[in-house]
Amino acid sequence: MKELLSMFLTFAKVGVMTFGGGYAMLPILQREVVENKGWATDEELTDYFAIGQCTPGVIAVNTATFIGQKKRGVIGGIVATLGVVFPSVMIITLLAGVIDAFSHLVWVQHAFAGVRVCVCVLIFNAVVKLWKSAVKDVWALGIFLVVLAGAVLLDLSPVVFVLFAAVAGIVIKTLEVKKA
């Protein structure tokens, strides 16, 4: 029970600190789940995030569910999911009644603009950390560059890029094993 409470509180902390959606959650998840708790590795977190992006639902919720399920099975997945959504539900419930009354104020608009910039920096920081753990050889760099170019130039679903990267990884690693 103590571990489930810790899981709920950890994911609630992640949930309350996540502004800007699932991608903004990545650096906080990395710090809390990988560095502080050791519930996943950087590679596992990257995999959960990729799978979470390809499956229906919110990336943050899917990722929390995967990590909770890994640690404590179905009940862990449920507790982690409840933890990550609880702060948002509470905050949205409180803000829903007052947001219209304040959204026209210039200082509120400027505050949101500042938060958006901060979220971009947090996402960039997460990308740099993931880069270090994911791009370890020339083949990974090649996959990265192809996906980056595709994402910039093409209007395709992220699922297409993830599937391409998965197939490319399988082909490259299979060829490497056959060479050895």
PDB file of all heavy atoms in Angstrom, residues 7-45:
ATOM      1  N   MET A   7       3.458   5.959  -5.503  1.00  0.00           N
ATOM      2  CA  MET A   7       3.237   6.051  -6.931  1.00  0.00           C
ATOM      3  C   MET A   7       2.187   7.117  -7.244  1.00  0.00           C
ATOM      4  O   MET A   7       2.379   7.958  -8.133  1.00  0.00           O
ATOM      5  CB  MET A   7       2.802   4.687  -7.482  1.00  0.00           C
ATOM      6  CG  MET A   7       2.725   4.617  -8.978  1.00  0.00           C
ATOM      7  SD  MET A   7       2.293   2.960  -9.555  1.00  0.00           S
ATOM      8  CE  MET A   7       3.729   2.045  -9.030  1.00  0.00           C
ATOM      9  N   PHE A   8       1.082   7.106  -6.503  1.00  0.00           N
ATOM     10  CA  PHE A   8       0.026   8.095  -6.714  1.00  0.00           C
ATOM     11  C   PHE A   8       0.586   9.503  -6.506  1.00  0.00           C
ATOM     12  O   PHE A   8       0.373  10.396  -7.335  1.00  0.00           O
ATOM     13  CB  PHE A   8      -1.156   7.850  -5.772  1.00  0.00           C
ATOM     14  CG  PHE A   8      -2.258   8.868  -5.935  1.00  0.00           C
ATOM     15  CD1 PHE A   8      -3.246   8.691  -6.886  1.00  0.00           C
ATOM     16  CD2 PHE A   8      -2.295  10.016  -5.146  1.00  0.00           C
ATOM     17  CE1 PHE A   8      -4.250   9.627  -7.054  1.00  0.00           C
ATOM     18  CE2 PHE A   8      -3.292  10.956  -5.305  1.00  0.00           C
ATOM     19  CZ  PHE A   8      -4.273  10.765  -6.264  1.00  0.00           C
ATOM     20  N   LEU A   9       1.297   9.713  -5.411  1.00  0.00           N
ATOM     21  CA  LEU A   9       1.821  11.044  -5.089  1.00  0.00           C
ATOM     22  C   LEU A   9       2.884  11.494  -6.097  1.00  0.00           C
ATOM     23  O   LEU A   9       2.931  12.671  -6.473  1.00  0.00           O
ATOM     24  CB  LEU A   9       2.380  11.067  -3.665  1.00  0.00           C
ATOM     25  CG  LEU A   9       1.335  10.897  -2.560  1.00  0.00           C
ATOM     26  CD1 LEU A   9       2.005  10.799  -1.192  1.00  0.00           C
ATOM     27  CD2 LEU A   9       0.315  12.034  -2.589  1.00  0.00           C
ATOM     28  N   THR A  10       3.712  10.568  -6.544  1.00  0.00           N
ATOM     29  CA  THR A  10       4.732  10.911  -7.540  1.00  0.00           C
ATOM     30  C   THR A  10       4.077  11.348  -8.837  1.00  0.00           C
ATOM     31  O   THR A  10       4.439  12.386  -9.414  1.00  0.00           O
ATOM     32  CB  THR A  10       5.675   9.717  -7.802  1.00  0.00           C
ATOM     33  OG1 THR A  10       6.348   9.395  -6.582  1.00  0.00           O
ATOM     34  CG2 THR A  10       6.685  10.023  -8.895  1.00  0.00           C
ATOM     35  N   PHE A  11       3.091  10.585  -9.299  1.00  0.00           N
ATOM     36  CA  PHE A  11       2.433  10.955 -10.553  1.00  0.00           C
ATOM     37  C   PHE A  11       1.528  12.174 -10.381  1.00  0.00           C
ATOM     38  O   PHE A  11       1.352  12.947 -11.324  1.00  0.00           O
ATOM     39  CB  PHE A  11       1.686   9.763 -11.155  1.00  0.00           C
ATOM     40  CG  PHE A  11       2.621   8.831 -11.864  1.00  0.00           C
ATOM     41  CD1 PHE A  11       3.038   7.652 -11.278  1.00  0.00           C
ATOM     42  CD2 PHE A  11       3.124   9.153 -13.109  1.00  0.00           C
ATOM     43  CE1 PHE A  11       3.922   6.807 -11.918  1.00  0.00           C
ATOM     44  CE2 PHE A  11       4.012   8.325 -13.767  1.00  0.00           C
ATOM     45  CZ  PHE A  11       4.410   7.141 -13.173  1.00  0.00           C
ATOM     46  N   ALA A  12       1.004  12.391  -9.189  1.00  0.00           N
ATOM     47  CA  ALA A  12       0.254  13.622  -8.931  1.00  0.00           C
ATOM     48  C   ALA A  12       1.195  14.825  -9.007  1.00  0.00           C
ATOM     49  O   ALA A  12       0.839  15.875  -9.545  1.00  0.00           O
ATOM     50  CB  ALA A  12      -0.439  13.552  -7.574  1.00  0.00           C
ATOM     51  N   LYS A  13       2.397  14.667  -8.482  1.00  0.00           N
ATOM     52  CA  LYS A  13       3.412  15.730  -8.565  1.00  0.00           C
ATOM     53  C   LYS A  13       3.732  16.025 -10.025  1.00  0.00           C
ATOM     54  O   LYS A  13       3.826  17.182 -10.432  1.00  0.00           O
ATOM     55  CB  LYS A  13       4.671  15.294  -7.809  1.00  0.00           C
ATOM     56  CG  LYS A  13       5.798  16.294  -7.825  1.00  0.00           C
ATOM     57  CD  LYS A  13       6.978  15.738  -7.023  1.00  0.00           C
ATOM     58  CE  LYS A  13       8.157  16.677  -7.007  1.00  0.00           C
ATOM     59  NZ  LYS A  13       9.293  16.108  -6.264  1.00  0.00           N
ATOM     60  N   VAL A  14       3.899  14.966 -10.814  1.00  0.00           N
ATOM     61  CA  VAL A  14       4.154  15.142 -12.239  1.00  0.00           C
ATOM     62  C   VAL A  14       2.965  15.842 -12.884  1.00  0.00           C
ATOM     63  O   VAL A  14       3.131  16.787 -13.661  1.00  0.00           O
ATOM     64  CB  VAL A  14       4.429  13.783 -12.918  1.00  0.00           C
ATOM     65  CG1 VAL A  14       4.448  13.910 -14.432  1.00  0.00           C
ATOM     66  CG2 VAL A  14       5.742  13.190 -12.414  1.00  0.00           C
ATOM     67  N   GLY A  15       1.769  15.401 -12.555  1.00  0.00           N
ATOM     68  CA  GLY A  15       0.561  15.972 -13.139  1.00  0.00           C
ATOM     69  C   GLY A  15       0.361  17.436 -12.795  1.00  0.00           C
ATOM     70  O   GLY A  15      -0.044  18.233 -13.637  1.00  0.00           O
ATOM     71  N   VAL A  16       0.666  17.806 -11.564  1.00  0.00           N
ATOM     72  CA  VAL A  16       0.450  19.195 -11.148  1.00  0.00           C
ATOM     73  C   VAL A  16       1.507  20.128 -11.740  1.00  0.00           C
ATOM     74  O   VAL A  16       1.269  21.322 -11.893  1.00  0.00           O
ATOM     75  CB  VAL A  16       0.404  19.330  -9.608  1.00  0.00           C
ATOM     76  CG1 VAL A  16       1.797  19.354  -8.993  1.00  0.00           C
ATOM     77  CG2 VAL A  16      -0.375  20.559  -9.189  1.00  0.00           C
ATOM     78  N   MET A  17       2.658  19.582 -12.131  1.00  0.00           N
ATOM     79  CA  MET A  17       3.740  20.411 -12.656  1.00  0.00           C
ATOM     80  C   MET A  17       3.790  20.424 -14.185  1.00  0.00           C
ATOM     81  O   MET A  17       4.684  21.021 -14.764  1.00  0.00           O
ATOM     82  CB  MET A  17       5.075  19.924 -12.098  1.00  0.00           C
ATOM     83  CG  MET A  17       5.152  20.038 -10.590  1.00  0.00           C
ATOM     84  SD  MET A  17       6.691  19.427  -9.939  1.00  0.00           S
ATOM     85  CE  MET A  17       7.768  20.782 -10.407  1.00  0.00           C
ATOM     86  N   THR A  18       2.866  19.748 -14.820  1.00  0.00           N
ATOM     87  CA  THR A  18       2.896  19.631 -16.272  1.00  0.00           C
ATOM     88  C   THR A  18       2.000  20.679 -16.910  1.00  0.00           C
ATOM     89  O   THR A  18       0.786  20.595 -16.848  1.00  0.00           O
ATOM     90  CB  THR A  18       2.451  18.228 -16.712  1.00  0.00           C
ATOM     91  OG1 THR A  18       3.308  17.267 -16.102  1.00  0.00           O
ATOM     92  CG2 THR A  18       2.536  18.085 -18.210  1.00  0.00           C
ATOM     93  N   PHE A  19       2.641  21.647 -17.516  1.00  0.00           N
ATOM     94  CA  PHE A  19       1.924  22.653 -18.282  1.00  0.00           C
ATOM     95  C   PHE A  19       2.322  22.481 -19.734  1.00  0.00           C
ATOM     96  O   PHE A  19       3.500  22.327 -20.038  1.00  0.00           O
ATOM     97  CB  PHE A  19       2.302  24.069 -17.817  1.00  0.00           C
ATOM     98  CG  PHE A  19       1.857  24.364 -16.428  1.00  0.00           C
ATOM     99  CD1 PHE A  19       2.685  24.103 -15.347  1.00  0.00           C
ATOM    100  CD2 PHE A  19       0.592  24.877 -16.199  1.00  0.00           C
ATOM    101  CE1 PHE A  19       2.267  24.377 -14.054  1.00  0.00           C
ATOM    102  CE2 PHE A  19       0.164  25.149 -14.911  1.00  0.00           C
ATOM    103  CZ  PHE A  19       1.005  24.906 -13.839  1.00  0.00           C
ATOM    104  N   GLY A  20       1.348  22.495 -20.623  1.00  0.00           N
ATOM    105  CA  GLY A  20       1.672  22.423 -22.041  1.00  0.00           C
ATOM    106  C   GLY A  20       1.485  21.063 -22.672  1.00  0.00           C
ATOM    107  O   GLY A  20       1.848  20.853 -23.808  1.00  0.00           O
ATOM    108  N   GLY A  21       0.934  20.111 -21.962  1.00  0.00           N
ATOM    109  CA  GLY A  21       0.640  18.823 -22.559  1.00  0.00           C
ATOM    110  C   GLY A  21       1.684  17.766 -22.283  1.00  0.00           C
ATOM    111  O   GLY A  21       2.623  17.972 -21.511  1.00  0.00           O
ATOM    112  N   GLY A  22       1.517  16.629 -22.944  1.00  0.00           N
ATOM    113  CA  GLY A  22       2.336  15.457 -22.696  1.00  0.00           C
ATOM    114  C   GLY A  22       3.818  15.650 -22.929  1.00  0.00           C
ATOM    115  O   GLY A  22       4.647  15.137 -22.187  1.00  0.00           O
ATOM    116  N   TYR A  23       4.195  16.405 -23.963  1.00  0.00           N
ATOM    117  CA  TYR A  23       5.611  16.602 -24.237  1.00  0.00           C
ATOM    118  C   TYR A  23       6.280  17.389 -23.116  1.00  0.00           C
ATOM    119  O   TYR A  23       7.433  17.144 -22.782  1.00  0.00           O
ATOM    120  CB  TYR A  23       5.814  17.331 -25.564  1.00  0.00           C
ATOM    121  CG  TYR A  23       5.330  16.518 -26.739  1.00  0.00           C
ATOM    122  CD1 TYR A  23       4.201  16.888 -27.446  1.00  0.00           C
ATOM    123  CD2 TYR A  23       6.001  15.368 -27.119  1.00  0.00           C
ATOM    124  CE1 TYR A  23       3.756  16.140 -28.513  1.00  0.00           C
ATOM    125  CE2 TYR A  23       5.567  14.604 -28.182  1.00  0.00           C
ATOM    126  CZ  TYR A  23       4.433  14.997 -28.882  1.00  0.00           C
ATOM    127  OH  TYR A  23       3.996  14.250 -29.922  1.00  0.00           O
ATOM    128  N   ALA A  24       5.580  18.346 -22.552  1.00  0.00           N
ATOM    129  CA  ALA A  24       6.144  19.136 -21.461  1.00  0.00           C
ATOM    130  C   ALA A  24       6.346  18.284 -20.214  1.00  0.00           C
ATOM    131  O   ALA A  24       7.141  18.622 -19.345  1.00  0.00           O
ATOM    132  CB  ALA A  24       5.232  20.318 -21.147  1.00  0.00           C
ATOM    133  N   MET A  25       5.635  17.176 -20.137  1.00  0.00           N
ATOM    134  CA  MET A  25       5.745  16.284 -18.996  1.00  0.00           C
ATOM    135  C   MET A  25       7.038  15.474 -19.018  1.00  0.00           C
ATOM    136  O   MET A  25       7.508  15.017 -17.977  1.00  0.00           O
ATOM    137  CB  MET A  25       4.545  15.330 -19.015  1.00  0.00           C
ATOM    138  CG  MET A  25       4.637  14.189 -18.050  1.00  0.00           C
ATOM    139  SD  MET A  25       3.405  12.974 -18.450  1.00  0.00           S
ATOM    140  CE  MET A  25       2.613  12.826 -16.903  1.00  0.00           C
ATOM    141  N   LEU A  26       7.632  15.320 -20.178  1.00  0.00           N
ATOM    142  CA  LEU A  26       8.788  14.436 -20.319  1.00  0.00           C
ATOM    143  C   LEU A  26       9.951  14.764 -19.381  1.00  0.00           C
ATOM    144  O   LEU A  26      10.459  13.863 -18.716  1.00  0.00           O
ATOM    145  CB  LEU A  26       9.244  14.410 -21.777  1.00  0.00           C
ATOM    146  CG  LEU A  26      10.262  13.351 -22.142  1.00  0.00           C
ATOM    147  CD1 LEU A  26       9.798  11.961 -21.730  1.00  0.00           C
ATOM    148  CD2 LEU A  26      10.540  13.379 -23.622  1.00  0.00           C
ATOM    149  N   PRO A  27      10.387  16.023 -19.271  1.00  0.00           N
ATOM    150  CA  PRO A  27      11.511  16.266 -18.359  1.00  0.00           C
ATOM    151  C   PRO A  27      11.152  15.992 -16.897  1.00  0.00           C
ATOM    152  O   PRO A  27      11.990  15.514 -16.121  1.00  0.00           O
ATOM    153  CB  PRO A  27      11.857  17.741 -18.572  1.00  0.00           C
ATOM    154  CG  PRO A  27      10.706  18.332 -19.281  1.00  0.00           C
ATOM    155  CD  PRO A  27      10.015  17.225 -19.996  1.00  0.00           C
ATOM    156  N   ILE A  28       9.937  16.262 -16.521  1.00  0.00           N
ATOM    157  CA  ILE A  28       9.509  16.009 -15.139  1.00  0.00           C
ATOM    158  C   ILE A  28       9.417  14.510 -14.892  1.00  0.00           C
ATOM    159  O   ILE A  28       9.872  14.013 -13.861  1.00  0.00           O
ATOM    160  CB  ILE A  28       8.161  16.715 -14.859  1.00  0.00           C
ATOM    161  CG1 ILE A  28       8.312  18.224 -15.060  1.00  0.00           C
ATOM    162  CG2 ILE A  28       7.666  16.402 -13.451  1.00  0.00           C
ATOM    163  CD1 ILE A  28       7.005  18.971 -15.160  1.00  0.00           C
ATOM    164  N   LEU A  29       8.850  13.787 -15.851  1.00  0.00           N
ATOM    165  CA  LEU A  29       8.780  12.328 -15.743  1.00  0.00           C
ATOM    166  C   LEU A  29      10.184  11.731 -15.670  1.00  0.00           C
ATOM    167  O   LEU A  29      10.431  10.840 -14.862  1.00  0.00           O
ATOM    168  CB  LEU A  29       8.071  11.742 -16.966  1.00  0.00           C
ATOM    169  CG  LEU A  29       6.637  11.327 -16.824  1.00  0.00           C
ATOM    170  CD1 LEU A  29       6.106  10.832 -18.147  1.00  0.00           C
ATOM    171  CD2 LEU A  29       6.424  10.316 -15.746  1.00  0.00           C
ATOM    172  N   GLN A  30      11.067  12.229 -16.505  1.00  0.00           N
ATOM    173  CA  GLN A  30      12.432  11.709 -16.529  1.00  0.00           C
ATOM    174  C   GLN A  30      13.090  11.887 -15.160  1.00  0.00           C
ATOM    175  O   GLN A  30      13.705  10.980 -14.633  1.00  0.00           O
ATOM    176  CB  GLN A  30      13.232  12.411 -17.632  1.00  0.00           C
ATOM    177  CG  GLN A  30      14.511  11.716 -18.030  1.00  0.00           C
ATOM    178  CD  GLN A  30      15.690  12.072 -17.156  1.00  0.00           C
ATOM    179  OE1 GLN A  30      15.723  13.118 -16.497  1.00  0.00           O
ATOM    180  NE2 GLN A  30      16.661  11.185 -17.103  1.00  0.00           N
ATOM    181  N   ARG A  31      12.928  13.065 -14.577  1.00  0.00           N
ATOM    182  CA  ARG A  31      13.540  13.334 -13.276  1.00  0.00           C
ATOM    183  C   ARG A  31      12.911  12.473 -12.180  1.00  0.00           C
ATOM    184  O   ARG A  31      13.610  11.830 -11.403  1.00  0.00           O
ATOM    185  CB  ARG A  31      13.412  14.815 -12.917  1.00  0.00           C
ATOM    186  CG  ARG A  31      14.126  15.164 -11.606  1.00  0.00           C
ATOM    187  CD  ARG A  31      13.941  16.606 -11.192  1.00  0.00           C
ATOM    188  NE  ARG A  31      12.543  16.866 -10.871  1.00  0.00           N
ATOM    189  CZ  ARG A  31      11.778  17.774 -11.462  1.00  0.00           C
ATOM    190  NH1 ARG A  31      12.255  18.547 -12.406  1.00  0.00           N
ATOM    191  NH2 ARG A  31      10.514  17.939 -11.114  1.00  0.00           N
ATOM    192  N   GLU A  32      11.585  12.441 -12.133  1.00  0.00           N
ATOM    193  CA  GLU A  32      10.896  11.741 -11.045  1.00  0.00           C
ATOM    194  C   GLU A  32      10.960  10.225 -11.191  1.00  0.00           C
ATOM    195  O   GLU A  32      11.252   9.522 -10.227  1.00  0.00           O
ATOM    196  CB  GLU A  32       9.427  12.199 -10.965  1.00  0.00           C
ATOM    197  CG  GLU A  32       9.254  13.619 -10.509  1.00  0.00           C
ATOM    198  CD  GLU A  32       9.801  13.872  -9.120  1.00  0.00           C
ATOM    199  OE1 GLU A  32       9.670  13.009  -8.232  1.00  0.00           O
ATOM    200  OE2 GLU A  32      10.402  14.943  -8.914  1.00  0.00           O
ATOM    201  N   VAL A  33      10.657   9.727 -12.377  1.00  0.00           N
ATOM    202  CA  VAL A  33      10.513   8.281 -12.574  1.00  0.00           C
ATOM    203  C   VAL A  33      11.854   7.589 -12.822  1.00  0.00           C
ATOM    204  O   VAL A  33      12.076   6.486 -12.321  1.00  0.00           O
ATOM    205  CB  VAL A  33       9.520   8.002 -13.729  1.00  0.00           C
ATOM    206  CG1 VAL A  33       9.485   6.537 -14.087  1.00  0.00           C
ATOM    207  CG2 VAL A  33       8.129   8.494 -13.362  1.00  0.00           C
ATOM    208  N   VAL A  34      12.742   8.244 -13.550  1.00  0.00           N
ATOM    209  CA  VAL A  34      14.025   7.622 -13.870  1.00  0.00           C
ATOM    210  C   VAL A  34      15.072   7.953 -12.807  1.00  0.00           C
ATOM    211  O   VAL A  34      15.644   7.052 -12.196  1.00  0.00           O
ATOM    212  CB  VAL A  34      14.524   8.055 -15.277  1.00  0.00           C
ATOM    213  CG1 VAL A  34      15.904   7.493 -15.565  1.00  0.00           C
ATOM    214  CG2 VAL A  34      13.534   7.614 -16.353  1.00  0.00           C
ATOM    215  N   GLU A  35      15.292   9.247 -12.563  1.00  0.00           N
ATOM    216  CA  GLU A  35      16.374   9.643 -11.663  1.00  0.00           C
ATOM    217  C   GLU A  35      16.024   9.445 -10.185  1.00  0.00           C
ATOM    218  O   GLU A  35      16.817   8.892  -9.436  1.00  0.00           O
ATOM    219  CB  GLU A  35      16.749  11.111 -11.909  1.00  0.00           C
ATOM    220  CG  GLU A  35      17.374  11.347 -13.272  1.00  0.00           C
ATOM    221  CD  GLU A  35      17.620  12.812 -13.567  1.00  0.00           C
ATOM    222  OE1 GLU A  35      17.532  13.661 -12.642  1.00  0.00           O
ATOM    223  OE2 GLU A  35      17.897  13.128 -14.746  1.00  0.00           O
ATOM    224  N   ASN A  36      14.848   9.906  -9.763  1.00  0.00           N
ATOM    225  CA  ASN A  36      14.509   9.859  -8.332  1.00  0.00           C
ATOM    226  C   ASN A  36      14.020   8.495  -7.863  1.00  0.00           C
ATOM    227  O   ASN A  36      14.421   8.021  -6.804  1.00  0.00           O
ATOM    228  CB  ASN A  36      13.468  10.925  -7.984  1.00  0.00           C
ATOM    229  CG  ASN A  36      14.010  12.337  -8.118  1.00  0.00           C
ATOM    230  OD1 ASN A  36      15.203  12.544  -8.273  1.00  0.00           O
ATOM    231  ND2 ASN A  36      13.126  13.307  -8.080  1.00  0.00           N
ATOM    232  N   LYS A  37      13.127   7.862  -8.623  1.00  0.00           N
ATOM    233  CA  LYS A  37      12.510   6.611  -8.174  1.00  0.00           C
ATOM    234  C   LYS A  37      13.138   5.360  -8.785  1.00  0.00           C
ATOM    235  O   LYS A  37      13.007   4.278  -8.228  1.00  0.00           O
ATOM    236  CB  LYS A  37      11.001   6.614  -8.480  1.00  0.00           C
ATOM    237  CG  LYS A  37      10.225   7.719  -7.785  1.00  0.00           C
ATOM    238  CD  LYS A  37      10.172   7.475  -6.300  1.00  0.00           C
ATOM    239  CE  LYS A  37       9.278   8.548  -5.650  1.00  0.00           C
ATOM    240  NZ  LYS A  37       9.151   8.344  -4.224  1.00  0.00           N
ATOM    241  N   GLY A  38      13.748   5.488  -9.951  1.00  0.00           N
ATOM    242  CA  GLY A  38      14.334   4.318 -10.604  1.00  0.00           C
ATOM    243  C   GLY A  38      13.296   3.324 -11.095  1.00  0.00           C
ATOM    244  O   GLY A  38      13.580   2.135 -11.223  1.00  0.00           O
ATOM    245  N   TRP A  39      12.097   3.793 -11.390  1.00  0.00           N
ATOM    246  CA  TRP A  39      11.025   2.913 -11.846  1.00  0.00           C
ATOM    247  C   TRP A  39      11.164   2.556 -13.323  1.00  0.00           C
ATOM    248  O   TRP A  39      10.504   1.636 -13.814  1.00  0.00           O
ATOM    249  CB  TRP A  39       9.665   3.544 -11.606  1.00  0.00           C
ATOM    250  CG  TRP A  39       9.283   3.655 -10.161  1.00  0.00           C
ATOM    251  CD1 TRP A  39       9.779   2.935  -9.116  1.00  0.00           C
ATOM    252  CD2 TRP A  39       8.314   4.536  -9.601  1.00  0.00           C
ATOM    253  NE1 TRP A  39       9.182   3.317  -7.942  1.00  0.00           N
ATOM    254  CE2 TRP A  39       8.271   4.296  -8.200  1.00  0.00           C
ATOM    255  CE3 TRP A  39       7.464   5.501 -10.121  1.00  0.00           C
ATOM    256  CZ2 TRP A  39       7.425   4.980  -7.343  1.00  0.00           C
ATOM    257  CZ3 TRP A  39       6.628   6.190  -9.271  1.00  0.00           C
ATOM    258  CH2 TRP A  39       6.607   5.926  -7.905  1.00  0.00           C
ATOM    259  N   ALA A  40      11.982   3.299 -14.063  1.00  0.00           N
ATOM    260  CA  ALA A  40      12.198   3.028 -15.483  1.00  0.00           C
ATOM    261  C   ALA A  40      13.557   3.595 -15.859  1.00  0.00           C
ATOM    262  O   ALA A  40      14.102   4.451 -15.152  1.00  0.00           O
ATOM    263  CB  ALA A  40      11.094   3.676 -16.332  1.00  0.00           C
ATOM    264  N   THR A  41      14.093   3.112 -16.963  1.00  0.00           N
ATOM    265  CA  THR A  41      15.332   3.662 -17.504  1.00  0.00           C
ATOM    266  C   THR A  41      14.969   4.745 -18.525  1.00  0.00           C
ATOM    267  O   THR A  41      13.810   4.863 -18.934  1.00  0.00           O
ATOM    268  CB  THR A  41      16.162   2.570 -18.200  1.00  0.00           C
ATOM    269  OG1 THR A  41      15.407   2.095 -19.340  1.00  0.00           O
ATOM    270  CG2 THR A  41      16.471   1.420 -17.259  1.00  0.00           C
ATOM    271  N   ASP A  42      15.978   5.504 -18.959  1.00  0.00           N
ATOM    272  CA  ASP A  42      15.729   6.498 -20.009  1.00  0.00           C
ATOM    273  C   ASP A  42      15.193   5.828 -21.271  1.00  0.00           C
ATOM    274  O   ASP A  42      14.291   6.345 -21.927  1.00  0.00           O
ATOM    275  CB  ASP A  42      17.024   7.256 -20.345  1.00  0.00           C
ATOM    276  CG  ASP A  42      17.346   8.348 -19.335  1.00  0.00           C
ATOM    277  OD1 ASP A  42      16.407   8.991 -18.825  1.00  0.00           O
ATOM    278  OD2 ASP A  42      18.537   8.558 -19.071  1.00  0.00           O
ATOM    279  N   GLU A  43      15.752   4.664 -21.596  1.00  0.00           N
ATOM    280  CA  GLU A  43      15.315   3.951 -22.793  1.00  0.00           C
ATOM    281  C   GLU A  43      13.860   3.497 -22.662  1.00  0.00           C
ATOM    282  O   GLU A  43      13.078   3.618 -23.607  1.00  0.00           O
ATOM    283  CB  GLU A  43      16.223   2.743 -23.066  1.00  0.00           C
ATOM    284  CG  GLU A  43      17.628   3.122 -23.512  1.00  0.00           C
ATOM    285  CD  GLU A  43      18.556   3.521 -22.360  1.00  0.00           C
ATOM    286  OE1 GLU A  43      18.204   3.306 -21.162  1.00  0.00           O
ATOM    287  OE2 GLU A  43      19.623   4.086 -22.638  1.00  0.00           O
ATOM    288  N   GLU A  44      13.503   2.961 -21.499  1.00  0.00           N
ATOM    289  CA  GLU A  44      12.118   2.529 -21.283  1.00  0.00           C
ATOM    290  C   GLU A  44      11.168   3.716 -21.361  1.00  0.00           C
ATOM    291  O   GLU A  44      10.098   3.621 -21.972  1.00  0.00           O
ATOM    292  CB  GLU A  44      11.974   1.843 -19.920  1.00  0.00           C
ATOM    293  CG  GLU A  44      12.594   0.476 -19.857  1.00  0.00           C
ATOM    294  CD  GLU A  44      12.605  -0.108 -18.448  1.00  0.00           C
ATOM    295  OE1 GLU A  44      12.760   0.660 -17.462  1.00  0.00           O
ATOM    296  OE2 GLU A  44      12.453  -1.335 -18.330  1.00  0.00           O
ATOM    297  N   LEU A  45      11.556   4.836 -20.759  1.00  0.00           N
ATOM    298  CA  LEU A  45      10.701   6.020 -20.798  1.00  0.00           C
ATOM    299  C   LEU A  45      10.498   6.485 -22.236  1.00  0.00           C
ATOM    300  O   LEU A  45       9.379   6.836 -22.628  1.00  0.00           O
ATOM    301  CB  LEU A  45      11.297   7.144 -19.945  1.00  0.00           C
ATOM    302  CG  LEU A  45      10.459   8.409 -19.822  1.00  0.00           C
ATOM    303  CD1 LEU A  45       9.096   8.102 -19.184  1.00  0.00           C
ATOM    304  CD2 LEU A  45      11.194   9.457 -18.997  1.00  0.00           C
TER     305      LEU A  45
END
